[in-house]
Amino acid sequence: MDYNNAKEILAKYNQEHVLDYFDELSSDEKQQLLGQIEEIDWDLLQLIDQPEGVHNKGVITPLDNAVSIKDIEAHKEVYRATGEKAIKEGKVAALLLAGGMGTRLGSDKPKGMYNIGLTKDVFIFEMIVRNTLDVVNDLGVWIPLYVMTSEKNDKDTREFFEKMNYFGYNKDYVKFFKQEMAPAVSFDGKLYMEGKNRISTSPNGNGGWFISFVKAGLLEDAKKRGVEYINLFAVDNVCQRIADPLFVGAMIEHGCRCASKVVPKATPEERVGVLCLEDGKPSIVEYYELTEEMRYAKDENDELAYRWGVILNYLFNVEDLEKNLENNLSTHIVKKKIAYIDENAQLVKPETENGFKFETLVLDMIHMMDNCLAYEVVREKEFAPIKNKEGVDSVDTARELLKKNGVEL
Ligand code: UTP
């Protein structure tokens, strides 16, 4: 793309300010900026005019059943045997979603590098690896661990794992891959610039993981290793069980194509997505998409009808993921804090949300699957997300739960 093409495109989309500093740039910098302009998906930017309309859902009904703690207790020997067999046969891989920017936590480093220790160092990545090692040590097999990063944190993440000697994991079983980026815009749709030669970009949401995984050649890697199931999970839940044999076994025993760990919602207002049915197929409805009526609806047992909150820990069947590769996920327009340069070309890191990012979400992949097993876990044992610096879902609440579960901090 040359300067004139770029100018034309930018004029068409009312984004001429992107070239404000063009004359000051070195020829390399000019090429970088032109390259970015060429790569932008301009259709995305149009979506901000219709934020409510982009993901129209079908008919939502409550889930008819979930495997409850009681069921799991009753069948745990069978689940365990089946799950352990699959893991020992190398059929299960773990995939850590760590491409997010963690803007609410507000650290410049990858979220996984955050130190939650009190009397000693305990890093979030370390907790994830330790949780995975529990199963590895128990069963005596290495589980492939794929780590999704983004352009913004890839180098730091890889260097940190290297420096920390992979926290005792076998590095031959750890593979990193980068997700793609998307532009970020102000509330009135103007592209933000994060430097004179760079449009502000951010990772394109955790729903992009499979395409990036395939592009990085890792689907091939997984298939070569005989992987059939991928356990996908978020970086910020430091308590979760990873490649949990009972979870794997329950999905296989129930003949399900996919599975999600769930917790009963603490209150109707809790801000978690809920697993339910959409036109009879599994689907996750975000907390802000639940109508007032659905939020408080009760079932015949006087329990919340929409009570199964997801904790971002899923099992997918590789075959089904491949089958759905071409199916597009809808784009969510998310309000976030976006760093940008001001009129003096100084970088500003805003304290409050100042624009939109464009993200696809892994929770939308659930609807592409034929069925999904809801698998209940004990909140106090497995759900301690670190989203915020303080208050709800924060470092403090996670520390408390870790201590209750006997983890020294
Ligand atoms: P969150 O929804 O908490 O987003 O991610 P975030 O970007 O990390 O944090 P905030 O909203 O800016 O504070 C849930 C999980 O999905 C991953 C995160 O790393 C986390 O494990 N994620 C999110 C990605 O891997 N890529 C993304 O583009 C977004």
Side-chain angles (χ1 to χ4, degrees):
M1 166 155 317
D2 64 20
Y3 176 80
N4 286 332
N5 298 138
K7 219 171 150 193
E8 208 174 297
I9 291 180
L10 293 170
K12 178 168 167 203
Y13 293 100
N14 225 354
Q15 306 282 352
E16 289 106 317
H17 64 285
V18 168
L19 294 175
D20 276 357
Y21 298 100
F22 198 77
D23 293 341
E24 294 177 30
L25 303 179
S26 68
S27 62
D28 275 357
E29 290 171 335
K30 283 179 178 162
Q31 283 316 312
Q32 278 164 10
L33 183 55
L34 293 174
Q36 256 195 322
I37 296 168
E38 186 166 16
E39 275 172 20
I40 284 191
D41 174 359
W42 297 99
D43 290 341
L44 274 186
L45 272 55
Q46 315 301 311
L47 295 176
I48 68 161
D49 297 330
Q50 32 146 345
E52 297 307 324
V54 280
H55 29 113
N56 297 322
K57 295 238 181 242
V59 178
I60 303 293
T61 49
L63 213 58
D64 29 26
N65 58 5
V67 178
S68 67
I69 306 270
K70 224 167 102 197
D71 299 329
I72 296 166
E73 192 51 38
H75 298 102
K76 74 173 176 214
E77 295 318 324
V78 179
Y79 292 168
R80 189 188 306 284
T82 304
E84 287 187 351
K85 181 168 177 287
I87 296 168
K88 283 188 181 162
E89 289 172 350
K91 292 183 178 166
V92 180
L95 196 145
L96 165 61
L97 298 170
M101 305 252 295
T103 49
R104 284 169 287 174
L105 188 61
S107 157
D108 280 342
K109 293 282 172 203
K111 209 185 229 186
M113 286 175 67
Y114 203 88
N115 188 353
I116 53 171
L118 291 167
T119 61
K120 57 179 183 174
D121 291 344
V122 179
F123 301 98
I124 292 182
F125 279 142
E126 180 180 352
M127 282 310 306
I128 298 287
V129 172
R130 273 164 63 177
N131 295 348
T132 317
L133 275 173
D134 284 346
V135 181
V136 167
N137 292 334
D138 236 23
L139 303 187
V141 284
W142 288 103
I143 296 167
L145 174 61
Y146 299 104
V147 183
M148 182 165 84
T149 62
S150 83
E151 190 182 288
K152 303 264 177 189
N153 64 16
D154 184 72
K155 187 167 174 284
D156 282 340
T157 303
R158 287 175 194 252
E159 284 176 1
F160 192 59
F161 267 81
E162 198 63 47
K163 179 174 153 216
M164 304 309 285
N165 207 11
Y166 290 75
F167 305 101
Y169 216 78
N170 181 340
K171 68 188 272 190
D172 295 343
Y173 285 80
V174 182
K175 299 252 181 248
F176 300 92
F177 67 104
K178 274 196 254 180
Q179 69 176 109
E180 333 266 296
M181 306 296 281
V185 295
S186 62
F187 288 133
D188 55 5
K190 292 279 185 210
L191 287 166
Y192 273 123
M193 300 296 290
E194 60 189 358
K196 291 181 176 178
N197 66 324
R198 271 199 67 80
I199 295 168
S200 294
T201 58
S202 65
N204 65 348
N206 56 27
W209 77 272
F210 191 61
I211 290 182
S212 305
F213 184 70
V214 174
K215 279 191 188 160
L218 293 179
L219 175 63
E220 278 313 302
D221 177 83
K223 288 208 289 198
K224 254 192 236 142
R225 292 175 192 256
V227 171
E228 291 180 20
Y229 311 109
I230 297 182
N231 180 202
L232 195 82
F233 56 94
V235 70
D236 44 37
N237 183 7
V238 281
C239 283
Q240 67 193 317
R241 301 284 89 212
I242 294 157
D244 176 352
L246 271 88
F247 185 39
V248 175
M251 181 179 85
I252 297 172
E253 284 296 326
H254 284 263
C256 285
R257 304 302 298 180
C258 129
S260 167
K261 288 197 167 182
V262 292
V263 289
K265 278 175 74 167
T267 61
E269 297 81 19
E270 190 183 8
R271 295 172 153 225
V272 288
V274 289
L275 187 58
C276 45
L277 296 174
E278 177 184 347
D279 298 332
K281 282 185 74 187
S283 182
I284 293 169
V285 177
E286 277 283 46
Y287 66 89
Y288 51 82
E289 292 173 328
L290 269 190
T291 61
E292 195 74 357
E293 198 188 329
M294 287 157 94
R295 193 167 292 147
Y296 296 99
K298 293 279 180 80
D299 64 13
E300 62 283 2
N301 302 319
D302 206 31
E303 291 190 279
L304 289 178
Y306 296 93
R307 70 175 171 290
W308 296 115
V310 291
I311 65 167
L312 221 175
N313 189 312
Y314 304 110
L315 271 171
F316 286 104
N317 198 304
V318 172
E319 221 174 66
D320 291 2
L321 289 166
E322 271 191 282
K323 231 170 34 196
N324 284 292
L325 184 61
E326 302 301 326
N327 286 351
N328 284 335
L329 292 171
S330 49
T331 302
H332 293 248
I333 293 137
V334 197
K335 280 187 190 166
K336 295 255 181 167
K337 294 182 223 168
I338 299 153
Y340 65 98
I341 53 165
D342 63 13
E343 52 288 355
N344 302 316
Q346 296 302 309
L347 189 68
V348 180
K349 292 186 176 173
E351 295 289 319
T352 53
E353 292 153 351
N354 61 329
F356 296 119
K357 290 185 177 178
F358 302 93
E359 297 191 342
T360 58
L361 303 179
V362 64
L363 55 84
D364 288 326
M365 289 177 107
I366 299 294
H367 191 50
M368 296 175 173
M369 305 298 146
D370 288 341
N371 50 48
C372 178
L373 183 78
Y375 179 95
E376 185 183 5
V377 295
V378 180
R379 176 188 285 267
E380 290 71 25
K381 291 209 171 126
E382 284 213 39
F383 193 35
I386 298 177
K387 300 286 184 195
N388 305 303
K389 258 216 163 87
E390 46 205 26
V392 187
D393 295 342
S394 66
V395 182
D396 293 339
T397 53
R399 278 184 182 140
E400 234 165 83
L401 217 58
L402 283 170
K403 281 198 249 169
K404 269 192 198 151
N405 285 299
V407 178
E408 269 180 52
L409 291 174

